Amino acid sequence: MRILHTSDWHLGRTLHGVDLLEHQAAHLDHLVELTRSEAVDAVVVAGDVYDRAIPPVDAVSLLSDAVTRLAEHAHVVVTPGNHDSAVRLGFGDRLLRPGVHVRARLADVGAPVVLGPRPGATDGDRSPLLVYALPYLDPDTARHVLADAADAPDAPDADAPGAEGVGGDPVRRRPLARSHEAVMGAALRRVGADLARRRAADPGVRAVVVGHAFVVGGLASDSERDIRVGGVDAVPAAAFAGRGVDYVALGHLHGPQRVTVPEVGGGEAGGGVATVARYSGSPLAFSFSELHQRKSTALVDVDRLRTDADAAVELVPAPVPRRLAEVTGSLDELLGEAGEPHVDDWLRVVVTDPVRPAELYARVRSRFPHALQVTHRPPRVAEREVVTAVGPGRDPLDVARDFVEHVSGHAPSEAEVVVLREAFELALAEERSA
């Protein structure tokens, strides 16, 4: 069984004002051809299909067309990420054509998409592939829905005396801890329990988990949206260990990379399975922090993972619509021979003249029509007022702390920090519900 692991399409996104839809369409054409030519059994999309909860009409049409064409060659499994609206993406999922599976409901966590063996498979290869597709697990919602008796802290034992309320009704289960680690752990316990039952009946089954999260060990860039809750945004890689899962197809981080899952013995789903976890990364660069990333799609031979994990995963390079680059130097240098190799690139231009040149932006754009950022950075910055740049990668709570200290002359108190955190998380919640 072969799967094509992709994620973070962010359809509808722009790059410093440049519409990327044409280039995103070209990448989807590439995925369709790759699916056909490599006889892929399933395409798994690990979240952030759209860039925002209410995508533009052109992005919706592009997704519909891409999924229709992909489904002509393989199963398509899609989950929402933190940018998508799970409700909108999952609307009408039960009316979709056979072979298209949109898993957007928390109630479906632990229930796999079951993919049968390939036509012509031998008796030894007749076991199905189970794809446990998890939607983005927002702690504020998932901690209530996924709170089983065994998961919730301080929840009463359902079989213990006194575990019933008035009239024999069960005591309401307490929600999980308010963290990404808690909700992902609860989801994976459901996955492990279901997989254990199925593997007891058929030891040959393979299992893939599709998830959208920041797993400890992954390298972030500036273009991923902050998902901190309570100051924490990460899930430990050990959460995936001991579940009997062969491959974890991750989304959220835009750089393609492998995450090391520690090996543990035992496990309810048949221990001894070494789990391979990867981020496929985004198909296009969405910020200059991704300048040196080599974008790709992961082509995974699931049956080969247990014998040769490195050879089982092939990183297929993504088409590059236009190179991303940075050039630094005096304006005369950049307008001369030094800038020649970068005329057709998407550029961040840093001009180092001691005095800001006249008509700087116009002159740069006349030489580099695809320049996206133009900055004047004179060499004697030490004699100037120091200004700290606030990038997307900084914790917004730290930015707020620095601002309070700057305007008041002293750091915020613990009570003030609590108010700042609550205000930030309320703003995030309102943005997600938009």
Side-chain angles (χ1 to χ4, degrees), residues 51-74:
D51 188 57
R52 53 184 183 268
I54 305 178
V57 173
D58 288 347
V60 176
S61 299
L62 180 58
L63 176 65
S64 176
D65 175 71
V67 169
T68 299
R69 291 190 294 144
L70 287 168
E72 293 175 356
H73 307 288

Side-chain angles (χ1 to χ4, degrees), residues 182-201:
V183 295
M184 181 62 78
L188 292 173
R189 282 191 287 275
R190 294 189 178 195
V191 169
D194 182 83
L195 179 54
R197 288 193 296 269
R198 295 174 185 271
R199 195 162 275 162

Side-chain angles (χ1 to χ4, degrees), residues 75-365:
H75 288 269
V76 181
V77 182
V78 181
T79 63
N82 58 298
H83 280 247
D84 304 307
S85 165
V87 173
R88 293 187 179 93
L89 189 63
F91 176 76
D93 58 340
R94 298 178 183 179
L95 303 177
L96 296 174
R97 60 177 289 174
V100 178
H101 315 271
V102 177
R103 288 302 178 94
R105 301 191 311 144
L106 292 175
D108 293 331
V109 167
V113 175
V114 181
L115 305 181
R118 304 182 73 167
T122 63
D123 289 342
D125 297 324
R126 302 291 300 175
S127 298
L129 173 65
L130 309 177
V131 181
Y132 293 92
L134 310 179
Y136 170 66
L137 303 175
D138 177 61
D140 286 329
T141 301
R143 65 194 292 250
H144 299 280
V145 178
L146 300 180
D148 293 333
D151 294 330
D154 302 323
D157 185 340
D159 297 324
E164 295 181 342
V166 178
D169 293 331
V171 174
R172 178 176 297 177
R173 294 165 179 152
R174 296 187 182 182
L176 298 163
R178 187 170 176 261
S179 71
H180 290 279
E181 179 179 358
V183 295
M184 181 62 78
L188 292 173
R189 282 191 287 275
R190 294 189 178 195
V191 169
D194 182 83
L195 179 54
R197 288 193 296 269
R198 295 174 185 271
R199 195 162 275 162
D202 183 357
V205 298
R206 299 291 193 265
V208 171
V209 166
V210 185
H212 194 90
F214 186 177
V215 178
V216 172
L219 298 177
S221 58
D222 289 345
S223 56
E224 296 106 10
R225 180 177 292 174
D226 195 335
I227 59 171
R228 288 181 183 90
V229 171
V232 180
D233 60 359
V235 173
F240 299 94
R243 310 288 184 185
V245 175
D246 295 275
Y247 184 79
V248 181
L250 292 169
H252 181 58
L253 299 187
H254 292 176
Q257 56 197 286
R258 180 169 176 175
V259 176
T260 301
V261 177
E263 294 188 24
V264 299
E268 58 186 355
V273 175
T275 300
V276 176
R278 287 200 68 92
Y279 285 97
S280 65
S282 61
L284 300 173
F286 296 124
S287 76
F288 281 98
S289 66
E290 302 173 41
L291 180 66
H292 301 295
Q293 294 176 0
R294 298 182 64 181
K295 301 298 186 180
S296 61
T297 306
L299 181 61
V300 185
D301 185 338
V302 179
D303 297 321
R304 199 176 177 185
L305 282 169
R306 298 187 188 180
T307 56
D308 192 345
D310 291 332
V313 181
E314 177 186 354
L315 300 183
V316 182
V320 179
R322 192 181 299 281
R323 190 172 61 173
L324 206 64
E326 178 179 278
V327 292
T328 302
S330 69
L331 183 58
D332 286 342
E333 290 171 340
L334 299 180
L335 297 182
E337 186 176 346
E340 187 62 34
H342 302 288
V343 170
D344 292 324
D345 295 347
W346 279 323
L347 277 184
R348 176 163 58 188
V349 180
V350 180
V351 178
T352 59
D353 294 65
V355 177
R356 182 183 178 90
E359 300 181 339
L360 174 61
Y361 186 78
R363 294 167 71 185
V364 168
R365 285 301 300 264

